Amino acid sequence: MFCYQCEQTTRGTGCVKFGVCGKTAETADLQDVLVHATKRLATRVAPLAAADRPAEIAPLLETALFATLTNVNFDDAAILALIRRVIAAIGPEAGVAADADRSALLAFAAQSGIEARTARFGADVVGLQELLLYGLKGVAAYAHHARRMDRADPAVDAFTVEALARLDAGESEIAALLGLNLACGEASVKVLALLDAAHGDTFGKPTPTPVRIGHVPGKAILVSGHDLVDLKALLEQTEGTGIRVYTHGEMLPAHGYPELKKHAHLAGHFGGAWMRQQKEFATFPGPIVMTTNCLQDPDSSYADRLFTRDVVGWPGIAHLDGSDFSAVVAAALAAPGFADEVTHATHLVGFGHDAVLGVAGTVVDAVKSGAIKHFALIGGCDGSEGERSYYTDLATAMPADWMILTLGCGKFRLLGHDYGTVAGLPRLLDMGQCNDAFSAVKVAQALAGAFDCGINDLPLSLTLSWFEQKAVCVLLALLHLGVKNIRIGPKLPAFLTPTVLGVLVETFGLKPIGTVEDDIRAMATAA
């Protein structure tokens, strides 16, 4: 085992015995084998014209890559089943039978893992190979979400095959790998736009909506993860049952969508960011559905009422293979539910690009008059380290004439503070999930158009917190768009070697976060 794909990897260098995320060494090796198999499958289909590739290839590659994302699937049996599906799709060229035993499949882990490739190519090359792979994992996750709403982009599917095949061939030219990473950024922009349109067409355009952070008396179901399709199905299946449905983690922005909030029993939001789930799930008096990442090792206090969906898995935890939530409904009716009513706070969601651009004239006038001096995007992933308090301190220290945009579960570092208003608008605009990153891009592009300048000429700063591979996908999207001077933290990725980081700093001005005071001063100066 060697894994450094997430921000919290051991000692900031790599997990070698047991994953900080909770995966065992063997699970990590099986995930490496699965990734290796996706590369081999891509190599097999790459020579075929896109129209001649079997229809099941693109969704299979998406599912396989998504399953290896941090905190998604820890179930060795499920990963083995995916490996065998991919091997069967490869055919004889796989060099191993789909029904080969576990040990035969694991033999590929040592051949294709990071350590073996580092010995062959060096750390700089492998770091860029992994940057590309992690970007592809993020693309796969977003494409998987979009495909659930019958949306796909042939250009994204084609790039995934091309990039995986290049990795399988051992692409080792630094310039070529940098080019592939920026091309992955282009695919990232396309898939984020695809998902944004799918969400809007399926659930309506988000509108500003106050959300109760708390609960009301009655039977209850908690939904975590990111998948709005699952939430919609569950809301429909619990209509008229007396069961209230609550969101958790990145599902908070769901309350802004008209087709979801029209269900009166979507009662509020329970808890905070993903890494608090073990304590929060233990106190929730009903079943919990984990629709996507970010799953942690389930505590025994709630393991028997936890359900996983789609690509998510943990050994011994009930898994729902389809969109039939009758087992969850039955568990909710058998559970005690809430006996009291509690409102900890109210949070305003629903500031997607349609809502923000709906008041674009007000915003532009406020900038011209000097009422708004700066736009600060603070978004990304949350995590457990104390250093992430930087993002809280940064937001609360910003001048009152700066407007703050946020998205992703990093928003939970900003909640609980009254930021007031600026130019008659809330200073803090919640733009949604990490899945909604395209909203920030659309708003920045619209503002640049309004002021007849480039994005980098706007009074705009981007400060990102990262944790896993969807954040890498979003970063590559921003780099492809030419966005410069992005701050990233709480620490830089272990797979970015000093040499690679130097290239990114020189080309894009990418930089680690500093102190709150120094960073605000630098943002103000740049504005």
Side-chain angles (χ1 to χ4, degrees):
M1 172 187 187
F2 184 88
C3 181
Y4 57 13
Q5 71 175 7
C6 87
E7 186 267 341
Q8 291 184 12
T9 192
T10 303
R11 298 187 182 89
T13 57
C15 297
V16 295
K17 293 183 179 179
F18 192 84
V20 171
C21 63
K23 65 185 176 186
T24 65
E26 185 157 319
T27 301
D29 287 345
L30 285 171
Q31 289 185 358
D32 284 350
V33 174
L34 179 55
V35 169
H36 174 65
T38 66
K39 296 175 185 177
R40 298 299 301 146
L41 177 56
T43 296
R44 187 185 78 76
V45 301
L48 303 176
D52 296 331
R53 293 172 186 170
E56 69 271 13
I57 296 301
L60 178 56
L61 289 174
E62 287 167 9
T63 300
L65 291 174
F66 195 0
T68 68
L69 210 77
T70 302
N71 291 91
V72 174
N73 202 311
F74 302 80
D75 188 347
D76 289 0
I79 297 169
L80 274 167
L82 269 174
I83 292 171
R84 292 187 168 118
R85 280 180 60 193
V86 176
I87 290 174
I90 298 170
E93 296 96 329
V96 62
D99 60 355
D101 63 25
R102 190 187 194 106
S103 60
L105 295 174
L106 278 168
F108 288 94
Q111 302 172 22
S112 59
I114 291 170
E115 291 176 305
R117 285 184 287 116
T118 300
R120 179 182 175 190
F121 298 119
D124 292 338
V125 167
V126 173
L128 282 171
Q129 290 174 342
E130 293 302 291
L131 178 63
L132 175 59
L133 174 62
Y134 303 154
L136 289 171
K137 288 187 180 188
V139 168
Y142 294 132
H144 184 88
H145 280 295
R147 200 176 295 273
R148 293 209 65 207
M149 292 171 278
D150 298 318
R151 301 296 182 92
D153 186 334
V156 173
D157 297 342
F159 175 75
T160 298
V161 168
E162 176 196 352
L164 287 171
R166 293 279 291 277
L167 288 173
D168 188 46
E171 179 59 73
S172 59
E173 291 293 328
I174 295 289
L177 286 167
L178 284 169
L180 280 168
N181 273 287
L182 288 179
C184 186
E186 181 180 14
S188 300
V189 172
K190 290 177 180 177
V191 78
L192 287 167
L194 181 75
L195 182 56
D196 174 78
H199 277 155
D201 291 345
T202 305
F203 306 111
K205 308 297 185 184
T207 57
T209 305
V211 183
R212 175 204 299 268
I213 310 297
H215 59 263
V216 296
K219 304 290 186 178
I221 295 172
L222 187 62
V223 184
S224 193
H226 303 74
D227 199 290
L228 302 184
V229 176
D230 277 346
L231 178 59
K232 176 64 172 172
L234 183 59
L235 286 167
E236 291 172 345
Q237 292 173 39
T238 50
E239 196 77 58
T241 63
I243 298 170
R244 266 90 172 191
V245 176
Y246 296 85
T247 54
H248 176 269
E250 283 254 54
M251 296 300 285
L252 171 59
H255 295 264
Y257 288 91
E259 288 301 307
L260 297 175
K261 68 180 179 179
K262 74 180 184 181
H263 295 276
H265 62 297
L266 181 60
H269 187 82
F270 181 89
W274 67 273
M275 71 285 182
R276 298 185 177 91
Q277 68 186 252
Q278 289 172 324
K279 290 185 178 179
E280 292 173 348
F281 289 1
T283 64
F284 188 81
I288 303 131
V289 181
M290 180 63 73
T291 64
T292 60
N293 57 310
C294 308
L295 176 65
Q296 288 185 303
D297 184 355
D299 186 78
S300 60
S301 62
Y302 61 84
D304 62 346
R305 48 191 174 86
L306 177 64
F307 296 81
T308 59
R309 265 288 295 133
D310 202 8
V311 296
V312 190
W314 189 281
I317 296 298
H319 185 77
L320 305 171
D321 288 322
S323 296
D324 178 2
F325 291 96
S326 56
V328 181
V329 173
L333 293 173
F338 288 108
D340 58 352
E341 179 172 341
V342 174
T343 300
H344 299 291
T346 299
H347 177 62
L348 200 58
V349 301
F351 289 99
H353 57 83
D354 291 286
V356 176
L357 296 181
V359 293
T362 301
V363 172
V364 170
D365 289 344
V367 173
K368 289 180 177 178
S369 71
I372 296 176
K373 291 287 200 308
H374 194 80
F375 298 92
L377 174 65
I378 305 175
C381 313
D382 204 355
S384 59
E385 311 101 313
E387 298 98 312
R388 289 181 186 262
S389 62
Y390 163 90
Y391 298 95
T392 307
D393 297 339
L394 182 69
T396 55
M398 283 183 169
D401 52 10
W402 287 24
M403 180 167 277
I404 305 168
L405 313 177
T406 189
L407 52 77
C409 64
K411 71 165 63 68
F412 288 101
R413 292 285 170 172
L414 278 60
L415 304 191
H417 179 80
D418 182 5
Y419 295 92
T421 61
V422 59
L425 300 169
R427 274 190 67 222
L428 179 68
L429 301 184
D430 185 344
M431 305 193 78
Q433 301 178 329
C434 65
N435 293 19
D436 300 312
F438 188 67
S439 272
V441 171
K442 287 273 285 186
V443 168
Q445 290 174 330
L447 287 173
F451 291 106
D452 192 25
C453 67
I455 290 178
N456 293 312
D457 300 315
L458 289 170
L460 169 68
S461 59
L462 286 82
T463 306
L464 305 181
S465 54
W466 84 284
F467 181 81
E468 42 89 344
Q469 297 76 63
K470 287 191 288 186
V472 174
C473 165
V474 172
L475 176 63
L476 291 178
L478 293 171
L479 297 184
H480 162 72
L481 292 170
V483 179
K484 295 187 176 182
N485 301 316
I486 300 169
R487 289 174 173 81
I488 185 172
K491 53 181 177 284
L492 294 174
F495 50 84
L496 289 186
T497 64
T499 300
V500 173
L501 180 60
V503 172
L504 295 177
V505 169
E506 181 179 352
T507 308
F508 299 102
L510 189 70
K511 62 194 70 178
I513 59 173
T515 67
V516 167
E517 295 77 13
D518 287 347
D519 286 350
I520 288 180
R521 189 179 304 112
M523 293 173 197
T525 302

